[in-house]
Amino acid sequence: MDSARSQIIEDLKRHLPAPVRRALGTARRTLAETTERIAFELSPDVVARSPALDAEISRFMSENDVPASLNVDVSKYDLMYQYWGRAGRDTQYMNYLRSGFKHASLIGRLIEYKFQSGERIESILDFASGYGRVARFLVQMMAPHRVFVADIKADAVAFQKKHLGVNGFVSPEKPHDLSISQRFDVIAVFSLFSHLPEETFNAWLEKLIGLLKPAGVLLFTTHGIEHMPAHLKKDTQS
């Protein structure tokens, strides 16, 4: 019956004018996208985990000496989590956690080199923090009240304050609009400067340096030298 129905549909398609076929195709795609958006909005804010995924997370934590107190709740709105979306749900989740662990470990090595111990850090800022990809691991290194997060999305800051117990503030879009009295021993910025134009890059760099304590350290990531324009690459080699 299904094969006969499919054949009838195909026959009808062949007899429909091209504009009608295109309109039907567009309507079908629109319906699928709308259905997907509705399903996303109706799902819980925290991504659901299967028993198999929880078991894999436990193995990951054990292999990397991550304390069992690590909060592994992930917001469905987290763009960094969504970035891994084509990998399949469990792989997506693990890639997200491993990425956060990798960046937090880098911060940990910096702290050990510069300050010898996290206990000597009074405050650290995870700027452009998203929904806690890195901060969830930072609160395992030091008390949550020493960890500050900032993001342009108020929901992202609220999620971290609720789930991780950190301090946080909403960042404005423009650096000259950011005005806070707090100063930090360490400021970490991942996946922001690589997306900024030169003018905004320099302005944010200057602003964040101004938020450091006298002996503070700014850690940020950018694209590698291979992405630089040829004339600038020559300057780095001279």
Side-chain angles (χ1 to χ4, degrees):
M1 179 66 70
D2 288 342
S3 60
R5 183 182 303 156
S6 297
Q7 185 59 50
I8 292 172
I9 292 173
E10 290 303 317
D11 290 341
L12 285 172
K13 285 181 178 179
R14 282 196 295 270
H15 289 87
L16 289 172
V20 175
R21 291 200 302 270
R22 287 194 293 270
L24 287 174
T26 300
R28 185 166 56 250
R29 289 191 296 272
T30 301
L31 177 61
E33 292 169 359
T34 301
T35 302
E36 186 176 348
R37 284 198 300 270
I38 292 174
F40 177 81
E41 291 300 332
L42 292 178
S43 65
D45 287 350
V46 174
V47 178
R49 302 192 303 271
S50 66
L53 176 56
D54 278 335
E56 188 170 358
I57 292 172
S58 294
R59 286 193 296 273
F60 160 76
M61 293 168 62
S62 177
E63 292 168 359
N64 293 282
D65 296 322
V66 177
S69 57
L70 177 73
N71 188 311
V72 296
D73 289 341
V74 174
S75 169
K76 69 179 182 182
Y77 297 107
D78 193 317
L79 294 179
M80 294 306 298
Y81 171 74
Q82 294 174 16
Y83 169 79
W84 300 102
R86 296 181 180 179
R89 175 62 62 85
D90 288 6
T91 302
Q92 175 184 8
Y93 212 105
M94 293 309 303
N95 284 343
Y96 173 85
L97 290 179
R98 290 190 180 100
S99 173
F101 176 74
K102 175 183 175 181
H103 286 83
S105 297
L106 178 61
I107 295 173
R109 291 195 296 273
L110 172 66
I111 290 174
E112 184 177 354
Y113 171 78
K114 177 69 176 179
F115 302 96
Q116 286 74 56
S117 169
E119 293 301 317
R120 302 179 66 177
I121 298 292
E122 294 181 355
S123 58
I124 180 171
L125 172 63
D126 181 9
F127 191 77
S129 61
Y131 286 78
R133 177 175 61 122
V134 176
R136 69 184 68 243
F137 294 98
L138 295 180
V139 297
Q140 302 300 319
M141 300 179 185
M142 61 192 73
H145 72 268
R146 299 182 185 181
V147 178
F148 290 73
V149 300
D151 197 88
I152 199 170
K153 294 184 177 180
D155 288 348
V157 175
F159 182 89
Q160 293 175 92
K161 292 171 73 172
K162 175 182 177 181
H163 290 266
L164 305 178
V166 297
N167 297 292
F169 59 90
V170 178
S171 170
E173 291 186 15
K174 299 178 180 179
H176 65 261
D177 290 333
L178 176 58
S179 177
I180 58 172
S181 59
Q182 180 73 39
R183 294 297 179 264
F184 304 95
D185 296 296
V186 176
I187 299 176
V189 192
F190 297 108
S191 301
L192 173 66
F193 281 104
S194 51
H195 302 288
L196 296 178
E198 184 175 348
E199 180 180 352
T200 313
F201 185 111
N202 293 337
W204 271 117
L205 189 62
E206 182 178 351
K207 171 61 70 172
L208 293 175
I209 290 174
L211 296 182
L212 289 170
K213 293 181 179 180
V217 178
L218 172 64
L219 170 66
F220 63 95
T221 58
T222 65
H223 290 306
I225 192 173
E226 64 274 10
H227 294 280
M228 293 179 66
H231 69 285
L232 293 178
K233 200 177 295 185
K234 289 180 182 178
D235 293 340
T236 66
Q237 296 169 350
S238 59

